[in-house]
Amino acid sequence: MAKIVVTGGLGYIGSHTVVELINAGYEPVIVDDLSNSKAQILDQLSKIIGFKPAFYQFDLCDEQKLKEFTEKEPDIDGIIHFAAFKAVGESVQKPLKYYRNNLQSLVNLLSVYSGKAINFVFSSSCTVYGQPDVLPVTENAPVKPAQSPYGNTKQIAEEILKDAIVSGDAKKVIALRYFNPVGAHETALIGELPIGVPQNLVPFITQTAIGKRNKITVFGDDYNTRDGSCVRDYIHVVDLAKAHVAALKLMEGPGFTGYDVFNLGTGNGNTVLEIITAFENTTGVKLNYEIGPRRNGDVEQVWGDVTKSSKELNWKAGLGIDIMMASAWAWEQYLSQNPL
Ligand code: NAD
Ligand code: WQD
């Protein structure tokens, strides 16, 4: 059974990927420092998969701890590197915190595994495209100057990975550019755990619906879109998780060498107001919302061209907006009954 290190494996996307790795016959080994997750997620995972996956708690920026880890787990076939800080606004206030964590952790991983035949999957983001000139945006679109230190860490990380392939430090790398992951596992036992006030749309919607927040503000209705609110490509987190398995499979096959990058989206865009309506229609819960000013740094519209992912990764998103909303809501309700 191939052993895959999942950094950030107790986080939102990582925990869902651990489940899909097990479903596909892999053996995940989780590394997480719990800086943005909770140890209880390990118990939640064991309720889904029937056993507790291997878990090591340490900060990947600590190279000594990482070396000790490689001695305890010497036979690794792949790494899926989720661990990073991801709050765009905070990254503007505390850029060094983001550069250190997101880049040091990557450099440390590449150093300790340098030259080894390990398949490496990296969590990148559609944020590298900024506001694309052509929609849907393909992987060949130019990377635009980053709008935030967070976005910059993703662009720089992609460059670091390409350089590591050239130098031979890394052997096979796939960077996955996620669009907007939402929703939760069908068991409602794992999902997104925002710490503090959510910055992202769907957790804000579910927390408003459950009564944790008074109202949700739609950040602008004067954009040049079909209803004036921003357009994004929302993708179910379980679809996203499955794409990581597809990426490993592609690298395990004979035809893959070096570095490649794939969009992970549905190929469709939805406006903020459409998401609010979908949530209300799917759950039957009315949302208290108001239209507010634009949020600084938001792009008007972005959605992904997923032709390359479907052809070469052999992967396609299958879950629609209704399941995204229903599962996010089931998770919020679960959390209100079973606080973690
Ligand atoms: P998350 O915060 O839920 O998960 C990240 C996990 O990594 C957390 O459990 C955290 O405790 C851990 N972690 C962070 N720094 C660490 C370190 N130095 N050492 C060990 N563990 C560390 O985030 P997520 O939403 O699951 O995102 C996963 C990845 O996907 C991140 O790289 C993020 O930038 C990227 N991404 C996320 C989104 C999104 O909207 N959620 C979109 C595009 C890309
Ligand atoms: C979605 C839409 C908001 C909250 C961010 C990062 C990006 C990526 C995913 C990691 C936007 C609107 C939101 C609210 C609103 N992360 N909104 N009211 O901004 O597309 O992307 O997360 O790589 O890098 O920038 O996601 O969920 O914050 O917003 O109207 O209370 O919802 O304006 O149009 P975004 P989001």
Side-chain angles (χ1 to χ4, degrees):
M1 213 185 327
K3 233 185 216 190
I4 308 297
V5 175
V6 186
T7 78
L10 295 184
Y12 175 43
I13 307 167
S15 58
H16 289 82
T17 302
V18 165
V19 174
E20 296 310 320
L21 284 170
I22 287 164
N23 288 343
Y26 289 94
E27 184 183 345
V29 178
I30 297 171
V31 174
D32 201 303
D33 65 356
L34 303 182
S35 55
N36 198 36
S37 56
K38 296 201 166 144
Q40 291 92 311
I41 296 297
L42 201 63
D43 302 319
Q44 298 299 100
L45 279 171
S46 71
K47 289 180 198 162
I48 300 174
I49 61 187
F51 64 94
K52 263 193 196 172
F55 168 53
Y56 294 82
Q57 182 183 344
F58 65 91
D59 178 352
L60 289 157
C61 296
D62 184 336
E63 197 173 359
Q64 190 48 40
K65 291 252 171 65
L66 180 55
K67 280 184 182 147
E68 286 163 22
F69 167 77
T70 61
E71 283 154 20
K72 287 182 205 145
E73 294 283 354
D75 305 313
I76 292 302
D77 302 288
I79 299 174
I80 307 181
H81 183 40
F82 292 106
F85 293 150
K86 64 168 179 177
V88 177
E90 187 192 48
S91 80
V92 178
Q93 305 303 320
K94 299 177 181 168
L96 304 185
K97 174 178 171 180
Y98 277 69
Y99 287 121
R100 175 183 171 277
N101 195 50
N102 295 8
L103 299 179
Q104 188 69 57
S105 60
L106 175 65
V107 170
N108 284 354
L109 278 170
L110 292 171
S111 306
V112 300
Y113 290 107
S114 175
K116 300 235 162 70
I118 284 176
N119 297 330
F120 197 100
V121 184
F122 177 69
S123 299
S124 191
S125 169
C126 69
T127 191
V128 303
Y129 297 123
Q131 176 59 67
D133 302 323
V134 180
L135 288 166
V137 62
T138 70
E139 290 84 350
N140 293 328
V143 162
K144 293 268 176 86
Q147 295 294 309
S148 68
Y150 166 77
N152 223 353
T153 68
K154 293 298 174 193
Q155 298 191 358
I156 297 167
E158 289 193 6
E159 296 303 323
I160 291 173
L161 287 163
K162 280 189 260 183
D163 290 344
I165 288 287
V166 172
S167 66
D169 286 298
K171 297 296 179 195
K172 295 184 186 184
V173 174
I174 288 183
L176 299 172
R177 290 177 177 161
Y178 313 156
F179 284 72
N180 288 58
V182 299
H185 194 256
E186 61 182 357
T187 57
L189 289 166
I190 52 172
E192 192 166 1
L193 260 188
I195 292 174
V197 181
Q199 307 300 306
N200 295 115
L201 178 65
V202 174
F204 209 104
I205 286 179
T206 56
Q207 289 198 4
T208 306
I210 206 99
K212 267 174 107 171
R213 314 269 154 219
N214 244 338
K215 60 170 185 258
I216 171 147
T217 303
V218 175
F219 296 143
D221 71 346
D222 56 352
Y223 287 97
N224 185 23
T225 62
R226 47 186 173 264
D227 62 23
S229 61
C230 292
V231 174
R232 298 287 183 274
D233 186 342
Y234 297 92
I235 171 164
H236 198 293
V237 66
V238 171
D239 277 330
L240 198 68
K242 288 179 174 161
H244 295 76
V245 173
L248 289 174
K249 298 263 183 236
L250 180 60
M251 286 189 280
E252 286 159 14
F256 188 93
T257 52
Y259 175 88
D260 211 348
V261 56
F262 294 96
N263 281 345
L264 296 185
T266 63
N268 295 307
N270 280 101
T271 68
V272 177
L273 290 168
E274 285 166 358
I275 293 294
I276 287 177
T277 305
F279 180 85
E280 291 185 332
N281 290 343
T282 311
T283 64
V285 182
K286 283 272 154 236
L287 280 171
N288 183 20
Y289 74 89
E290 64 174 14
I291 307 294
R294 293 181 175 196
R295 179 172 70 177
N296 249 345
D298 266 341
V299 298
E300 181 171 87
Q301 42 190 334
V302 59
W303 67 96
D305 186 314
V306 289
T307 313
K308 183 180 175 194
S309 306
S310 85
K311 278 197 188 143
E312 295 175 32
L313 258 191
N314 203 16
W315 166 90
K316 234 185 177 144
L319 303 171
I321 292 287
D322 290 357
I323 297 176
M324 298 181 208
M325 295 301 122
S327 62
W329 179 226
W331 165 241
E332 189 70 61
Q333 289 175 295
Y334 175 87
L335 270 184
S336 74
Q337 300 296 318
N338 310 274
L340 294 178

